[in-house]
Amino acid sequence: MTRVVAISAGLSDASSTTLLAERFGEAVRRAEPGASFEVVSLRDLAHDITDATIVGFASPRLQHVIDQVAAADALVVVTPTYKASYPGLFKSFVDALDADLLIGKPVVLGATGGTARHSLVIDHALRPLFAYLQAMVVPTGVFASPHDWGGEGTSALDERVGRAVGELLSLLGGAGTGRTRDDGIDLFSETMLSISDPQL
Amino acid sequence: MSSMQFGIFTVGDVTQDPTDGTTPTENARIKALVEIAKKTEEVGLDVFASGQQHNPPFVTTSPTTLMAYMAAQTERIVFSTAIAQITTNDPVRLAEDYAVLQHLSDGRVDLMLGRGNSAPVYSWFGQDPTRAVELTVENYQLLRRLWDEDVVDWEGRFRTPLRGFTATPRPLDGVPPMVWHASIRTPEVAELAAYYGDGYFANNIFWPKEHYIRLIDFYRQRYAHYGHGSPEQAVVGLGGQFFIRPNSQDAVREFRPYFDNAPVYGHGPSLEDFSAQTPLTVGSPQEFVEKTLTFADFFGDYQRQLFLVDHAGLPTKIVLEQLDLLGEVLPTLRAEFDARRPATVPDAPTHAARVAAKQAAADAEAEVVTA
């Protein structure tokens, strides 16, 4: 069964970011009825995330979410736009992940903002971050401004979400970098070998 | 001496007492360390270990000076670094300094090696922080030879070559100080300890036990791989920290301001959360004993337990009281650990035992030759 986990960095109570995450959920279920879709709200982990930045390890609650992320076949990442970028809490969450946790992981990026003028936040802020993490980010990102939730042309949002989810699920068939995280200990690195044979 | 050693380790930080805003002078802090070392012996503990740091707020830049002074005022406890930097110290100086200290203290010195606490320290001592692991390996390989071989020819990447060099004084009784390697994230350090059959120490203070279990298990496996014994016979040391009062609530109330403002974890998680998630115990002596005993469940039976006691701005008077309380539960700790420990697990290494083992090995070899 395909397991998709959505990380929502929406911070307000009735969050349009979480709303966008749910649109992704519907698209995933439509494309693959057997798939599981879980939404993780970072707001509920705000204290745990801050503590992790200070002590350098995750609380059991935060670790549970990190394990969920690690076990996911694909990730949906949605965040509001704060001061032309993602909120600090979102970055602090990413900071709490091992640097190699998302290597080769299929990811779709989404963002919300108070105005369509922020729509490049996905490509200017989120994409470079996930490039550093070596995730497999699909080409289509989905930005939703207030106008996308009502009025004329709102079906365009669902079309974009559907296209992004199609790209995401297409990566699960075995395409991708072929690389995943490897947290085993390498006994054959140059330094490791030099321990038992100083002449190397 | 029981089969397991207990002691304390300090990083020698000068930290403001958050309850009254006072900060000890460097002079007062250094003198306090000496009082703490003497108290360590007085209450029946086995080991006093000091860090080596080269930046404020620490005063422990010169561990051999400090520990030679302490050794002169004590008779029984073993001194150790926790840690001495194998990266920034010239291995020749390490071989010489700790051999002199070993002679002066009549074999009461161990050397615990680690990489150091900050990136700039490498640059201050002319080393490259990005080569820390290679530097650790090469420097230790040289140190080992300087102690194990009387005359050394050596050439490496990080230090000027040596021809016909003899590190003096030669180790006491031909047995160099016991070496421990400390690391909490570098498998190469665990491998180094395993290859040489040295001890391995995990500070076990700041993180959940899972972080330490992985490398200790790896060290035990590799110790066996290199033929020093079974994984259970590898020589393991652990850190820990506590604050105890006869009444559990008193301990929590008194320690909370120190916890909340502590340099490493202060202003982060609550004392309750941190205690639940890490080896820290704040409570009654009984609670402390119970939690400490679980360490052997997680890491296997081990040889040395060191506690961090003087930190977070705790006044020396309270630190000394904590050592008295530790001394009171020490017989229980020893008895409980000994009761659960299989006979196949070796005792904590001492100079006398290691000299005897060397003599026994030499006798056995002589017997083979005569036969």
Side-chain angles (χ1 to χ4, degrees):
Chain A
M1 186 184 73
T2 302
R3 184 174 181 186
V4 180
V5 171
I7 300 162
S8 169
L11 293 172
S12 58
D13 199 14
S15 161
S16 63
T17 305
T18 303
L19 211 53
L20 181 59
E22 291 300 347
R23 304 310 291 178
F24 274 103
E26 278 173 37
V28 166
R29 281 185 286 262
R30 212 165 32 241
E32 199 177 318
S36 79
F37 184 83
E38 307 146 67
V39 180
V40 172
S41 170
L42 297 188
R43 186 187 200 278
D44 301 340
L45 296 162
H47 282 270
D48 301 79
I49 290 169
T50 306
D51 288 350
T53 63
I54 288 179
V55 297
F57 66 85
S59 67
R61 215 153 54 128
L62 178 57
Q63 189 58 50
H64 174 74
V65 168
I66 294 173
D67 293 343
Q68 257 180 296
V69 168
D73 298 304
L75 295 179
V76 172
V77 174
V78 284
T79 173
T81 308
Y82 278 27
K83 304 290 187 287
S85 185
Y86 38 72
L89 183 68
F90 175 76
K91 179 59 161 56
S92 293
F93 172 73
V94 172
D95 291 345
L97 305 176
D98 285 345
D100 58 359
L101 188 76
L102 299 186
I103 291 177
K105 182 87 71 189
V107 172
V108 60
L109 301 174
T112 58
T115 155
R117 284 188 283 274
H118 280 310
S119 60
L120 282 173
V121 68
I122 290 176
D123 298 309
H124 283 215
L126 283 167
R127 234 176 250 285
L129 178 61
F130 283 82
Y132 171 78
L133 297 168
Q134 301 178 55
M136 283 289 293
V137 181
V138 301
T140 300
V142 179
F143 182 86
S145 76
H147 296 295
D148 287 303
W149 300 107
E152 275 177 43
T154 49
S155 63
L157 177 65
D158 283 337
E159 281 166 29
R160 294 205 302 280
V161 169
R163 175 157 35 106
V165 165
E167 291 170 5
L168 185 70
L169 297 180
S170 76
L171 288 178
L172 301 183
T177 59
R179 294 175 57 231
T180 51
R181 172 186 213 217
D182 177 13
D183 60 357
I185 293 172
D186 180 7
L187 287 175
F188 301 101
S189 70
E190 200 181 317
T191 311
M192 204 56 119
L193 290 173
S194 75
I195 289 167
S196 54
D197 188 357
Q199 304 314 316
L200 278 179
Chain B
M1 174 86 60
S2 82
S3 45
M4 195 171 151
Q5 293 172 336
F6 296 86
I8 67 164
F9 65 141
T10 179
V11 288
D13 57 315
V14 177
T15 300
Q16 185 183 59
D17 181 339
T19 63
D20 64 8
T22 58
T23 305
T25 62
E26 290 176 321
N27 181 269
R29 186 70 172 102
I30 291 169
K31 294 293 175 70
L33 290 174
V34 177
E35 288 312 304
I36 290 166
K38 285 155 76 175
K39 190 74 171 179
T40 302
E41 175 154 294
E42 182 194 316
V43 302
L45 290 159
D46 310 309
V47 183
F48 176 94
S50 166
Q52 179 200 352
Q53 324 262 4
H54 292 278
N55 50 321
F58 305 105
V59 293
T60 46
T61 45
S62 181
T64 48
T65 310
L66 183 71
M67 295 193 297
Y69 186 83
M70 292 169 169
Q73 300 183 55
T74 52
E75 290 175 354
R76 193 181 51 77
I77 51 171
V78 172
F79 291 92
S80 174
T81 49
I83 50 81
Q85 296 177 2
I86 184 66
T87 47
T88 61
N89 284 295
D90 180 359
V92 173
R93 291 298 314 175
L94 284 174
E96 294 169 343
D97 285 343
Y98 288 89
V100 171
L101 183 57
Q102 190 195 27
H103 281 272
L104 286 173
S105 66
D106 299 308
R108 291 189 292 135
V109 60
D110 288 3
L111 181 61
M112 190 196 293
L113 298 170
R115 285 160 51 179
N117 67 331
S118 68
V121 73
Y122 292 87
S123 304
W124 291 328
F125 287 86
Q127 300 294 355
D128 177 356
T130 63
R131 322 257 334 243
V133 179
E134 294 99 309
L135 198 53
T136 298
V137 172
E138 180 177 304
N139 279 356
Y140 185 61
Q141 285 169 338
L142 173 55
L143 173 61
R144 200 67 261 166
R145 289 192 57 198
L146 291 168
W147 273 346
D148 294 342
E149 300 169 29
D150 288 336
V151 183
V152 172
D153 290 343
W154 180 89
E155 202 170 326
R157 284 178 296 177
F158 299 111
R159 188 196 190 284
T160 196
L162 298 169
R163 279 279 161 250
F165 182 79
T166 298
T168 63
R170 302 304 300 144
L172 179 66
D173 307 317
V175 175
M178 172 75 192
V179 173
W180 301 73
H181 301 263
S183 173
I184 48 182
R185 46 181 135 228
T186 314
E188 286 83 355
V189 171
E191 177 79 0
L192 199 60
Y195 178 72
Y196 287 99
D198 296 333
Y200 184 73
F201 184 86
N203 87 358
N204 195 36
I205 289 183
F206 300 126
W207 291 344
K209 59 184 184 299
E210 288 74 16
H211 285 255
Y212 308 106
I213 287 175
R214 179 170 176 259
L215 278 188
I216 289 176
D217 283 351
F218 175 73
Y219 159 70
R220 288 186 183 279
Q221 296 301 326
R222 300 302 288 173
Y223 184 92
H225 169 82
Y226 286 116
H228 301 296
S230 70
E232 294 71 30
Q233 291 171 327
V235 184
V236 171
L238 293 173
Q241 60 174 332
F242 66 86
F243 190 89
I244 49 179
R245 288 296 182 196
N247 182 331
S248 185
Q249 286 78 22
D250 291 343
V252 172
R253 195 179 313 115
E254 188 177 351
F255 189 60
R256 191 183 300 281
Y258 295 96
F259 177 88
D260 286 346
N261 293 284
V264 177
Y265 40 71
H267 309 286
S270 67
L271 189 157
E272 286 75 8
D273 281 352
F274 196 79
S275 303
Q277 294 162 16
T278 76
L280 171 68
T281 309
V282 182
S284 68
Q286 185 54 34
E287 288 168 317
F288 163 66
V289 168
E290 280 166 19
K291 186 151 178 178
T292 306
L293 284 167
T294 65
F295 295 176
D297 297 332
F298 302 134
F299 304 105
D301 292 289
Y302 59 107
Q303 281 70 27
R304 178 176 288 182
Q305 174 64 55
L306 301 182
F307 295 104
L308 178 66
V309 184
D310 66 324
H311 66 125
L314 284 167
T316 306
K317 177 174 168 289
I318 293 183
V319 172
L320 298 176
E321 287 168 11
Q322 289 295 306
L323 290 177
D324 278 327
L325 290 165
L326 177 58
E328 285 172 25
V329 295
L330 197 55
T332 312
L333 271 179
R334 289 194 197 281
E336 295 281 337
F337 270 111
D338 280 352
R340 57 155 290 152
R341 171 192 201 85
T344 47
V345 171
D347 290 353
T350 61
H351 183 72
R354 294 170 67 237
V355 169
K358 185 183 173 168
Q359 189 56 48
D363 290 349
E365 201 167 310
E367 229 164 82
V368 171
V369 172
T370 17

